[in-house]
Amino acid sequence: MEQRIPTAYGAPVDTAVAHDNNSTPTGKIWQVITASSVGTVIEWYDFYIFGSLATIIGPVLFGSKGKIEDTLLGALAVFGAGFVVRPFGALFFGRIGDLIGRKYTFLLTLLIMGGATFVTGLIPGYDKIGLAAPAIVVVLRLLQGLALGGEYGGATTYVAEYAPDNKRGYYTSFIQITATAGLFMSVLVILATRKILGEDAFKEWGWRIPFLLSGFLIVASYYIRRKLAESPLFAKAKAEGKTSTNPLRESFVNPVNRRLVLIALFGATMGQGVVWYTGQFYAYSFMLSTLKMSIVDAAIVLCTALLLATPFFVYFGSLSDRIGRKKIIMAGLLCGALFTVPIFYGIKAFAGPLTEKTAAIPATVDAAGAAVAAVPAVMQSASPQLLPMIALVFCLVLFVTMAYGPIAAYLVELFPTKVRYTSLSLPYHIGNGVFGGFVPFIATSLTVWAAAQPAGTFSKEYSSFMGLAYPVVIALLCFFIGSALMKDVRNVKLMDDQPSAKA
């Protein structure tokens, strides 16, 4: 039966089919996945290119005559602002998504993210407009963080509400690939632009190209997404008058739902967040900064490992349909807690010794936040062994796929349709944006602290790994909480919205 969705809050009138999600044609599901995934990949790309270019953007925003460590830290502070506001974006856009609909909400987040990224590529530098340059970029980063806070919940909910109950882990796992794909894409675009233009031209003006490219990508993605109808489950709830009138209250004041939000946060997403950012983002910065590998070698290691491990997002998502979400997520967290330090130790060993080129410079911080203790100004790993390093980073990303692949299906099945967008978005973005997103900053602080202790407190060999204590402890804590409190449900009948199945 076709139901017309009423206009609300100025949203356009949409025609959606209110039907059982288990009867959705396979072709339609793939159309939904493609449209949702393409846009989400672009949003992650937009979010990560700023961090990847912080070493170049820092002097542009804060003045080319400033100390290099000050401009880098300033750029990293601006980058971190995007993480801080992600939970607020989850609340704001989650509420809109549960009141108006999934489709129009993530169309809005796509345009905000893309527009902010495109404008970033046009901002004049500090030398031309002074403090207005960093001020404008801070505002743009806040908009990006808000948009990303609404994007994931919208895309995940939208795909899950189309997917049949017995294949929800499989279909939603394609959304889980998007964050890795966005990071992969940002690294490749930046690397290609640098190689084509040359280092001098890239630093002068070429760094703007990856930002400006976002504008064209967003237009294409918006065109694909706007043709989609509202999700069948939300259409059914809207037609029957069962949507929430106050999603925030029902999500976080209702004691039953609030308990589920807290379990999702402390039993799953905070651990998954630190495993993700350690295994992918921090590993890359560790190779560039601590190990002083060339950007080409580090990109080869990371991108090859990502390419080889990405299919496992789908594998573990599909496996969760058969054996349950909890077992796989907890296994990923435990592996991350137990093996991260030994793997990083191996990565350092295979990178080879550092060769000294010039005199020493003060400690500073690289683009992703990894500490660089007082080392010679130009050092480089001698003959890094790329194949074993790829294998080790592959293992790190494999832990990510275990923790991250099934988590979308788990979160979707945890909450009822009328508050699903709001309820799953907040714990996801606190877990990923706060606990995970601050892995570089906290790991850096711990590493710098260890290096500053009196001689003999920590050996020089192990002090560079001190920062890993944070993600290891968080992953282990989340493993214990999740093992005790999470229920291993799967294939919940979303059309029925049975709370007992999710309690």
Side-chain angles (χ1 to χ4, degrees):
M1 177 181 179
E2 192 172 276
Q3 300 285 350
R4 183 169 294 275
I5 306 299
T7 300
Y9 295 88
V13 175
D14 180 35
T15 299
V17 178
H19 67 280
D20 191 329
N21 56 299
N22 292 292
S23 65
T24 305
T26 302
K28 180 64 176 179
I29 295 175
W30 283 114
Q31 180 187 1
V32 167
I33 290 173
T34 300
S36 301
S37 298
V38 169
T40 307
V41 167
I42 294 170
E43 292 216 33
W44 282 111
Y45 163 83
D46 289 350
F47 197 75
Y48 283 127
I49 54 176
F50 191 99
S52 300
L53 291 172
T55 51
I56 294 174
I57 295 174
V60 175
L61 295 182
F62 297 95
S64 57
K65 296 180 180 180
K67 293 182 180 179
I68 184 64
E69 55 265 41
D70 291 340
T71 61
L72 285 170
L73 286 171
L76 287 172
V78 175
F79 178 61
F83 288 103
V84 173
V85 299
R86 278 171 59 177
F88 297 100
L91 292 175
F92 179 76
F93 289 108
R95 179 178 181 274
I96 295 175
D98 284 328
L99 287 172
I100 299 175
R102 286 60 164 123
K103 171 187 171 180
Y104 289 106
T105 305
F106 71 40
L107 279 176
L108 180 60
T109 61
L110 181 70
L111 292 176
I112 293 174
M113 173 69 85
T117 305
F118 183 81
V119 174
T120 300
L122 301 174
I123 297 296
Y126 180 91
D127 296 339
K128 292 185 178 180
I129 62 174
L131 291 175
I136 293 172
V137 175
V138 167
V139 172
L140 294 174
R141 283 297 297 172
L142 293 176
L143 288 174
Q144 285 184 317
L146 289 171
L148 190 59
E151 168 66 21
Y152 177 83
T156 300
T157 301
Y158 191 70
V159 171
E161 291 180 347
Y162 264 103
D165 294 327
N166 64 346
K167 291 187 176 181
R168 188 171 300 113
Y170 170 69
Y171 285 122
T172 56
S173 66
F174 288 93
I175 293 294
Q176 304 305 86
I177 294 173
T178 58
T180 296
L183 175 60
F184 183 91
M185 184 177 172
S186 70
V187 172
L188 287 185
V189 169
I190 291 169
L191 184 62
T193 307
R194 291 177 87 148
K195 297 294 287 185
I196 292 171
L197 297 180
E199 197 65 22
D200 292 339
F202 184 81
K203 287 183 177 180
E204 183 178 353
W205 60 270
W207 63 268
R208 298 178 182 273
I209 293 177
F211 288 94
L212 298 176
L213 178 62
S214 172
F216 300 100
L217 299 175
I218 291 295
V219 170
S221 180
Y222 179 82
Y223 178 77
I224 295 172
R225 280 188 172 185
R226 67 186 295 270
K227 293 184 176 181
L228 298 176
E230 187 55 81
S231 85
L233 293 185
F234 186 83
K236 179 176 182 292
K238 193 79 172 181
E240 296 175 352
K242 293 182 179 179
T243 55
S244 175
T245 57
N246 193 332
L248 295 178
R249 175 179 291 275
E250 293 189 43
S251 292
F252 310 118
V253 177
N254 180 295
V256 174
N257 207 79
R258 184 177 62 235
R259 177 177 180 274
L260 296 178
V261 169
L262 293 175
I263 291 175
L265 171 58
F266 295 108
T269 61
M270 77 171 184
Q272 171 260 304
V274 298
V275 169
W276 196 101
Y277 278 90
T278 302
Q280 300 187 155
F281 206 79
Y282 189 70
Y284 183 55
S285 85
F286 183 80
M287 290 186 286
L288 287 175
S289 299
T290 304
L291 306 184
K292 293 299 179 183
M293 291 174 59
S294 71
I295 188 172
V296 174
D297 285 345
I300 289 173
V301 171
L302 178 68
C303 291
T304 305
L306 291 178
L307 196 62
L308 293 173
T310 291
F312 287 90
F313 284 104
V314 178
Y315 171 75
F316 288 118
S318 179
L319 184 64
S320 74
D321 287 327
R322 301 192 296 274
I323 69 172
R325 326 296 186 198
K326 177 181 176 179
K327 298 181 182 70
I328 302 171
I329 295 171
M330 293 300 106
L333 298 183
L334 185 60
C335 287
L338 296 179
F339 301 118
T340 291
V341 173
I343 287 175
F344 270 78
Y345 187 85
I347 291 172
K348 183 177 181 180
F350 285 115
L354 295 178
T355 57
E356 188 171 317
K357 299 288 185 178
T358 63
I361 59 172
T364 184
V365 179
D366 86 315
V372 183
V375 294
V378 179
M379 297 184 71
Q380 188 170 355
S381 291
S383 303
Q385 300 178 52
L386 299 187
L387 286 179
M389 294 181 74
I390 290 171
L392 290 170
V393 176
F394 168 82
C395 290
L396 289 175
V397 182
L398 189 66
F399 304 155
V400 176
T401 66
M402 296 171 70
Y404 198 44
I407 208 164
Y410 166 73
L411 292 174
V412 165
E413 292 174 340
L414 203 59
F415 305 106
T417 299
K418 63 180 181 178
V419 293
R420 180 170 294 127
Y421 199 147
T422 303
S423 295
L424 75 83
S425 292
L426 185 66
Y428 175 82
H429 284 291
I430 292 179
N432 282 263
V434 178
F435 286 98
F438 278 91
V439 164
F441 174 78
I442 296 176
T444 296
S445 300
L446 290 173
T447 303
V448 171
W449 172 81
Q453 296 308 298
T457 305
F458 300 103
S459 69
K460 184 177 180 181
E461 181 181 6
Y462 293 107
S463 62
S464 59
F465 302 112
M466 185 59 64
L468 296 173
Y470 168 69
V472 166
V473 169
I474 293 297
L476 197 59
L477 179 63
C478 191
F479 168 77
F480 287 123
I481 295 174
S483 297
L485 299 179
M486 283 176 62
K487 287 196 173 182
D488 205 355
V489 297
R490 64 185 185 275
N491 307 334
V492 172
K493 296 185 182 300
L494 294 188
M495 184 62 69
D496 295 341
D497 260 342
Q498 299 172 354
S500 60
K502 311 179 194 71

